[in-house]
Amino acid sequence: MPSSSAGTLATVIVACSVTAAVTFYLTAAAAERKVLAEKKRQYERDLELKEKTIAARKLSGEPTGEVIGDVTVDKVYLWNIEDLKKRFTPCNIENVMRNKASTTTNPYYFPSMKKSASNDSMAELSDGKPTPYNKLITNHECVLGEIVRKPNQQPYTHGYVRAGPRRLLHFDPAKVNAAIVTCGGLCPGLNNVIREIVNTLSQTYGIGGKIFGIQGGYNGFHDFEHYRPVELTPELVANIHHEGGTVLGSSRGGFDLDKILHFLKSNKVSCLFVIGGDGTHRGAFRIHEGCMEQGMNVAIAGIPKTIDNDVDYIDRSFGFESSVEAAQVAIRSAKTEAICNMPNGIGVVKLMGRSAGFLAGHATMASGDVDLCLLPEVPIVLDGEKGCLPHLRKRVKEQGYAVVVVAEGAGEDLLGVSAETDASGNKKLPAIGTHMKQEIEKYFKEKGDIATVKYIDPSYTVRSVPANASDSLYCMQLGQNAVHGAMAGFTGFSVGLCNNRMVFIPIPELVSTSPRSMNPHGRTWERILAITRQPNTVV
């Protein structure tokens, strides 16, 4: 066969092959598009049917979802709050937002920049029109305590009284005097809570009496040589939420029930707001009991405060998130020191946490730069298969440095329990931070190495920072709801966030299991182990 004919035949064969392949591909693609289009139409039909079914169920009131027979709740045991209306005659004034403006001079008002208002116009401005509440809470509205339910669990749970304004007031706002006291250590957000209590009493409820700021904790009720009560006004507290600490000052100890009751009685205080931890709350409940025994129509409201986050039942204490955020600065500094100081740089950061490792643990998780985290709930093993020191040396050899975070209450299994206590009755803690620094240096030396260890203790810088945005919002809710509860006549209660809802909790229930600790068998500790990769010493 001539070469030209062979070439033509080959060209025809190739062309036919290409045509066949293209035809097959186009046919297959068309078939696939057809299948996908049918699947899409079927999905849209199913979605339309599902939406119509849900809409029909909503109209009929029929619940949606799968019925599971092994998870049930048939009883709710409500943690009732003691109500003054059952002991004393209430005023039963309808509760509305009075929107009362202040008539005192604003310290940030500059007369030269604006024409002064006349007395008549100031009087007009000071009386805002009342605004009805969009939502008033009934007494059996509650928030369930255990929202996670397991198969075959007992078919009952407890409930918290939901916080918020009630329809009728127990106290006549025109006759109310109030007092606020902060006790114990500092915490981000204290000023925010004070400010919101003052503003809610003065502006929302428009009370006619004074708001006493008790300086120096419980001492301020009676030790007038060193502490004098101050009158709090919206103008005085207008900008305190931008500052850390507490404008009232704080202290430990000083609790004298008779003198506190005398102060409340002589100053005709109707509502006392106590901001503090579990020990402070135990004192607040004793004041409540003293008022009841002496027939004093006084509402005692608590606001839980601790950067250790160790008050039980509530989701978190105010200031905790701000403290975790502030601790990041110390951890980053420790990492920088560890990286830059050779050889074998190690940064050790000691954070607060007497009996609970929440602050140290959450700071570790938020940082992501920590190689070893030591908490009060978890035993410390220095050497051996589960030893933290071999793990630390391994991390240094792997990356050239390491960062350690230790809670102040960790290490009692190593250093023993102190018999000494502070003014609040808290036991003094062993110096675990400096002890770990010494042990690390000693261990590396035994292995023929040198460890360059830098120790950072940011305790007071962490707890004295201003509240961040999240805590500021939380403090606003706490302050407002503490006032709502007290003005409604509830007493002997504390206010907090439970299952992301604001609730009232009886103080005896709150303190009965406080201080709480982190569960060493829980998921938080597992997350910490996943980050640090340290040995798990929990049995």
Side-chain angles (χ1 to χ4, degrees):
M1 181 182 292
S3 59
S4 60
S5 300
T8 302
L9 179 61
T11 302
V12 170
I13 292 172
V14 169
C16 290
S17 299
V18 170
T19 301
V22 170
T23 302
F24 175 80
Y25 173 78
L26 292 175
T27 303
E32 185 178 358
R33 284 196 299 271
K34 186 177 180 180
V35 171
L36 291 173
E38 179 57 32
K39 286 183 177 179
K40 182 179 179 182
R41 285 193 293 271
Q42 184 61 44
Y43 171 77
E44 289 173 346
R45 287 194 294 268
D46 291 344
L47 182 61
E48 184 180 5
L49 178 62
K50 184 178 180 181
E51 290 174 345
K52 288 181 178 179
T53 302
I54 292 173
R57 283 177 173 171
K58 285 182 178 179
L59 288 174
S60 65
E62 181 185 353
T64 61
E66 176 190 358
V67 177
I68 50 177
D70 55 355
V71 177
T72 59
V73 176
D74 57 20
K75 289 182 181 178
V76 176
Y77 294 89
L78 188 65
W79 282 3
N80 281 310
I81 308 298
E82 188 150 359
D83 195 343
L84 292 171
K85 292 189 288 291
K86 296 178 180 179
R87 292 174 177 261
F88 306 94
T89 303
C91 74
N92 283 335
I93 294 175
E94 185 178 359
N95 189 8
V96 293
M97 290 186 284
R98 299 173 184 272
N99 299 323
K100 183 178 179 181
S102 177
T103 57
T104 56
T105 304
N106 189 326
Y108 294 92
Y109 170 70
F110 298 94
S112 60
M113 299 175 66
K114 187 175 180 180
K115 184 178 178 180
S116 300
S118 65
N119 291 335
D120 291 340
S121 63
M122 285 299 294
E124 182 181 345
L125 289 172
S126 66
D127 296 320
K129 293 182 179 179
T131 302
Y133 285 98
N134 290 331
K135 171 69 176 175
L136 292 168
I137 308 298
T138 61
N139 284 347
H140 278 187
E141 253 184 89
C142 63
V143 175
L144 297 185
E146 297 172 315
I147 58 173
V148 177
R149 307 297 299 176
K150 299 177 182 178
N152 302 313
Q153 190 174 347
Q154 294 287 355
Y156 56 80
T157 185
H158 67 274
Y160 309 110
V161 173
R162 192 173 181 187
R166 267 50 182 179
R167 186 174 68 87
L168 298 175
L169 298 178
H170 175 70
F171 296 107
D172 180 354
K175 302 177 181 177
V176 167
N177 291 312
I180 306 171
V181 63
T182 56
C183 304
L186 299 185
C187 178
L190 281 167
N191 281 334
N192 301 65
V193 176
I194 294 168
R195 179 179 185 266
E196 201 57 43
I197 293 173
V198 171
N199 286 343
T200 305
L201 286 168
S202 300
Q203 298 168 351
T204 306
Y205 283 89
I207 66 168
K210 296 180 179 180
I211 304 172
F212 296 98
I214 309 302
Q215 299 195 73
Y218 284 133
N219 289 291
F221 283 104
H222 54 84
D223 185 2
F224 301 133
E225 182 180 348
H226 299 96
Y227 312 99
R228 297 293 297 179
V230 295
E231 183 178 352
L232 299 176
T233 64
E235 289 71 34
L236 190 63
V237 302
N239 293 283
I240 64 173
H241 58 304
H242 297 305
E243 303 296 331
T246 164
V247 293
L248 296 178
S250 187
S251 69
R252 300 187 184 277
F255 185 87
D256 188 316
L257 180 59
D258 292 336
K259 292 178 180 178
I260 294 172
L261 294 178
H262 175 74
F263 179 93
L264 299 179
K265 190 178 296 184
S266 60
N267 289 282
K268 299 181 180 178
V269 171
S270 303
C271 304
L272 171 63
F273 300 94
V274 181
I275 309 169
D278 60 303
T280 299
H281 271 68
R282 289 185 175 91
F285 193 72
R286 287 174 61 192
I287 298 172
H288 154 73
E289 290 181 313
C291 289
M292 294 301 96
E293 289 171 2
Q294 297 192 20
M296 296 169 60
N297 187 17
V298 179
I300 310 297
I303 298 95
K305 176 232 62 165
T306 165
I307 65 167
D308 292 349
N309 200 33
D310 59 357
V311 173
D312 209 359
Y313 298 112
I314 61 175
D315 294 353
R316 70 180 189 276
S317 54
F318 75 84
F320 176 69
E321 289 188 351
S322 301
S323 298
V324 170
E325 186 177 304
Q328 301 307 298
V329 177
I331 294 174
R332 285 193 293 268
S333 298
K335 182 178 179 180
T336 300
E337 288 285 344
I339 292 173
C340 298
N341 283 279
M342 300 179 179
N344 303 323
I346 298 174
V348 178
V349 179
K350 190 199 82 171
L351 296 174
M352 287 186 164
R354 286 182 164 274
S355 56
F358 293 109
L359 178 56
H362 282 252
T364 293
M365 292 186 289
S367 166
D369 291 326
V370 179
D371 302 288
L372 176 64
C373 180
L374 304 176
L375 308 178
E377 299 89 342
V378 179
I380 297 178
V381 177
L382 292 179
D383 206 348
E385 183 181 351
K386 291 189 175 183
C388 63
L389 296 179
H391 163 74
L392 200 60
R393 185 166 181 265
K394 178 174 178 289
R395 294 296 293 143
V396 170
K397 296 303 179 184
E398 289 173 347
Q399 62 186 11
Y401 67 92
V403 177
V404 180
V405 168
V406 55
E408 63 178 344
E412 286 190 341
D413 47 337
L414 291 178
L415 302 178
V417 180
S418 174
E420 297 182 67
T421 58
D422 61 19
S424 295
N426 299 315
K427 63 185 178 184
K428 292 190 176 181
L429 300 171
I432 185 61
T434 53
H435 178 75
M436 284 304 302
K437 179 181 184 296
Q438 294 166 3
E439 288 295 326
I440 293 168
E441 292 170 336
K442 176 183 174 184
Y443 181 80
F444 273 72
K445 186 175 182 181
E446 289 173 352
K447 297 298 180 181
D449 276 336
I450 297 174
T452 309
V453 185
K454 303 299 180 182
Y455 176 61
I456 299 174
D457 182 356
S459 299
Y460 299 104
T461 59
V462 166
R463 73 178 192 175
S464 60
V465 298
N468 64 14
S470 176
D471 275 324
S472 294
L473 175 60
Y474 187 19
C475 290
M476 180 197 74
Q477 294 174 297
L478 289 170
Q480 288 182 352
N481 282 292
V483 176
H484 289 324
M487 291 298 291
F490 292 125
T491 185
F493 72 95
S494 193
V495 61
L497 193 69
C498 296
N499 298 327
N500 206 34
R501 293 290 186 274
M502 297 301 300
V503 300
F504 297 144
I505 305 174
I507 290 178
E509 297 286 357
L510 188 72
V511 301
S512 64
T513 52
S514 293
R516 69 177 172 190
S517 298
M518 188 194 75
N519 180 7
H521 300 281
R523 299 185 67 187
T524 299
W525 179 238
E526 287 179 352
R527 295 185 183 106
I528 294 170
L529 292 175
I531 290 172
T532 64
R533 291 176 284 173
Q534 68 192 77
N536 186 7
T537 58
V538 177
V539 179

